[in-house]
Amino acid sequence: MSTVRFLISHHDVKLNVNGLVHTLPAGGMTATHSDATIDAPGPVMSHDFHACDLQALYPDVVDLLDRRPLGVFHRQAARTLILEPSMVDVAMTLQSVDRMAMLRFFYVYCLCRDQRYFSAMLRQTIAGSHSLFDFVEANFHRPWPVGRLAEEFGMPLRKFRYLFQQTYGMPAKQWLLERRLRLARDLLLSTRHKVLDIALECGFTNHAHFTDTFRKRFDCAPTEIRMGTPPQRGSRRVAMPQADAYAAMRADLVAGHGALTEGGMQ
C-alpha cells in the first residue's frame, strides 16, 4: 500500500485492520494502513502520509536508512513503538504547526528505534512512484488538463487517475490546482514578475481565471498578497489576519532567494 497512517494516543486503542483486532498500548506510536479503524476511549492523533510525502522525505533521511539487503519485506498491519511522554507532547504540538515537520519527526524517531523495519517500509512505499513523481514535478506547471498529462505519461486516463490518487492521496485535478496556486503565491512573494507572467508560468491560461481562483483559495487578490495589504470588499477593507503572515512570508522568501529579481510589478 502507498499510504502510511501514524497513530498516537494517550489511551489504549483497539485497531481493526482487515478484520483482525490489535491492542495498541497508551503512549505508543503505531504505523498502520490507511483503511484501519479505531476504537478508543479518548482522542487519537491520526495522520495519513502518501507516497508523495514519503518521496519528499526520502532525501532527508537517506543517510539514516539501513543499507543491509532485506530480502522479501512483509509490511505489518500495525508496528508500534512506545514513546516517552515528552515525545508524545512534541508530536501533538507538531501536528498543528507543520505536517511535513511532523513526518520527519515520526520517521527519524522510528529509524533510530527500529531502523531495519522502517527503512524497508519507506523503500517499499515509494517503490514504483519515482517515475510518476518525477514526471509530475517536471510538468505540473504546464497548462495541461489531466487527460493531457496522462497522455504524455503514456498511460490510460483512468489508470493515471487511479495511480495519482494512490500516490498523492487526492484527485489529480485537485492536487494540480493546489500545487500551481502555491507556486504562484511563492513567486508573488519572492519576485517582482508581473502577475500575468506568474499566472502563465504556473499553468493558468489567462489573468482573470488566475485572479479569481487565487482569491477563492487565499481570500485575497494576487496584488494584495504581494503587498501584504488587506483585501478590498466593496467600499471597505476587510480585516485580514493573514496579511501580516503573508508579509513575513515574503520577507523570508526574499531572504532565501537573495535580492528580488528584476521585472515590473503589477
Side-chain angles (χ1 to χ4, degrees), residues 215 224 230-240:
R215 187 188 296 277
E224 292 167 338
Q232 184 82 34
R233 299 291 184 269
S235 61
R236 64 185 182 84
R237 291 283 179 185
V238 175
M240 180 182 168

Side-chain angles (χ1 to χ4, degrees), residues 162-236:
Y162 175 80
L163 178 61
F164 200 102
Q165 177 78 41
Q166 291 297 303
T167 303
Y168 288 87
M170 65 177 68
K173 184 176 181 180
Q174 178 184 344
W175 186 92
L176 289 167
L177 180 60
E178 177 68 16
R179 184 71 171 85
R180 290 164 178 167
L181 286 171
R182 287 183 176 275
L183 175 60
R185 180 195 63 185
D186 291 348
L187 291 174
L188 286 164
L189 291 166
S190 63
T191 76
R192 287 197 176 104
H193 297 161
K194 292 181 179 179
V195 172
L196 177 59
D197 292 341
I198 289 176
L200 296 176
E201 184 175 347
C202 295
F204 294 89
T205 55
N206 62 75
H207 187 289
H209 177 239
F210 169 64
T211 299
D212 181 61
T213 306
F214 192 94
R215 187 188 296 277
K216 289 178 180 178
R217 172 62 180 85
F218 296 111
D219 195 34
C220 66
T223 51
E224 292 167 338
I225 197 173
R226 166 170 274 169
M227 301 303 295
T229 56
Q232 184 82 34
R233 299 291 184 269
S235 61
R236 64 185 182 84

